[in-house]
Amino acid sequence: MNIKSKEEVNKIRIACQLISKVHKQVLKLNFVGQSELQIKKYIMDLITDMDIDELAFPIIVGSGVRSLILHAEPTEKIVCANDLVLIDMGLKFEGYCSDMTRTWPAGGTFSNEQKIIYDIIKKAQQDVLNSISKNQSLFSLHEIAKNSLCRSLDLTDLKGRYDIQKIYPHKTSHWIGLDVHDGNVYIDEKNQPILLQSGMCFTVEPGLYIQNTDTKFDGIGIRIEDVVVITESGFEILTA
Ligand code: GLY
Ligand code: MN
């Protein structure tokens, strides 16, 4: 179930290339002054123009403090220059899904605090990618992400002021295939974590959603998500 054939991986690859293209186009939009719903409409128009007829899940657009919401449904909220904009979207190609999240500063530059958190998450994602091997499971990759996040956070004013479960309340990875959260099975019949094998496709999506820490980081929500496939020789990132 978790292992995809070459043909299936190819369909996921194409779905990932298409959503990467959409994300790239979205970056050309000036977010400031637009509502989240207008951003969603812009995305929907792009997708329609690309002749894509099925989303993998409803488009998520969360700006400002709404980036703290894991699955923010776009609203009439107008995006301000200092806001972050979290966009999480996926589409289907011949039934197979993609899933990709980017978080951008609406006005084009991160504040100091936003940049610190962005870099911490980027590093956590890279630490996970560097650890991918056939001895790992999605559970162990999650531990690697959490440890990386905590190590970096402890070098900031957030040290001693956060609970990682509260500011990172979701898992780092899920399988992807015909469903965006494909076959919710992460342990085998012997109750052991499923180890990574060639043909397995999954997301790597660390994030932080910071609130109630009484620091200048409160209100920052950032997630970075890419899709990876395990290959014979290592792994390939399918989104870019
Ligand atoms: N990107 C949506 C999700 O993973 O739930
Ligand atoms: Mn996901």
Side-chain angles (χ1 to χ4, degrees):
M1 260 299 275
N2 294 312
I3 299 173
K4 303 289 184 282
S5 69
K6 277 207 168 69
E7 290 72 25
E8 289 179 300
V9 171
N10 220 18
K11 288 177 187 178
I12 296 170
R13 180 181 286 108
I14 293 170
C16 288
Q17 286 168 347
L18 290 169
I19 201 65
S20 304
K21 225 184 230 177
V22 177
H23 265 292
K24 215 169 179 180
Q25 285 296 324
V26 169
L27 263 187
K28 293 186 184 157
L29 182 68
N30 181 6
F31 296 124
V32 180
Q34 308 265 353
S35 72
E36 294 168 349
L37 277 168
Q38 283 172 315
I39 296 171
K40 175 185 162 182
K41 179 169 185 316
Y42 179 78
I43 296 168
M44 289 305 293
D45 289 347
L46 284 172
I47 287 177
T48 306
D49 287 349
M50 287 163 77
D51 262 346
I52 296 158
D53 48 30
E54 211 180 342
L55 295 176
F57 57 92
I59 294 170
I60 292 164
V61 182
S63 66
V65 288
R66 299 193 75 260
S67 63
L68 297 173
I69 303 169
L70 296 189
H71 290 161
E73 207 177 296
T75 65
E76 302 281 3
K77 181 193 168 291
I78 302 291
V79 176
C80 306
N82 300 331
D83 282 354
L84 291 171
V85 183
L86 185 156
I87 299 174
D88 182 351
M89 54 190 176
L91 48 80
K92 290 194 179 190
F93 177 78
E94 295 186 1
Y96 285 82
C97 296
S98 53
D99 187 6
M100 180 176 179
T101 308
R102 290 292 183 267
T103 311
W104 302 118
T109 26
F110 286 115
S111 70
N112 285 342
E113 289 75 28
Q114 290 168 347
K115 181 75 168 81
I116 289 169
I117 300 304
Y118 185 89
D119 287 346
I120 287 174
I121 295 165
K122 193 82 193 139
K123 178 174 188 315
Q125 194 193 41
Q126 194 56 53
D127 286 344
V128 170
L129 295 173
N130 291 344
S131 309
I132 288 180
S133 77
K134 292 178 181 163
N135 299 322
Q136 302 283 357
S137 67
L138 296 191
F139 295 105
S140 59
L141 293 185
H142 182 55
E143 290 308 308
I144 290 162
K146 258 194 329 196
N147 291 337
S148 171
L149 292 170
C150 290
R151 265 198 317 275
S152 301
L153 289 168
D154 286 348
L155 299 174
T156 73
D157 291 346
L158 281 159
K159 184 175 165 73
R161 307 193 73 96
Y162 69 92
D163 172 350
I164 192 65
Q165 314 296 349
K166 291 216 168 101
I167 66 171
Y168 185 34
H170 61 77
K171 294 281 186 279
T172 301
S173 300
H174 57 79
W175 307 122
I176 188 165
L178 283 168
D179 281 317
V180 65
H181 286 223
D182 202 49
N184 251 328
V185 179
Y186 297 94
I187 49 173
D188 65 18
E189 49 298 332
K190 291 185 193 135
N191 242 359
Q192 295 302 308
I194 293 173
L195 297 182
L196 299 178
Q197 287 182 54
S198 189
M200 290 181 169
C201 297
F202 58 92
T203 63
V204 180
E205 50 178 307
L208 288 170
Y209 314 86
I210 304 176
Q211 50 190 325
N212 304 321
T213 65
D214 243 339
T215 67
K216 49 192 187 314
F217 296 98
D218 277 349
I220 296 178
I222 297 178
R223 176 165 65 255
I224 303 172
E225 175 178 33
D226 287 286
V227 174
V228 160
V229 58
I230 303 293
T231 61
E232 285 304 329
S233 56
F235 70 94
E236 179 189 338
I237 303 172
L238 298 178
T239 41

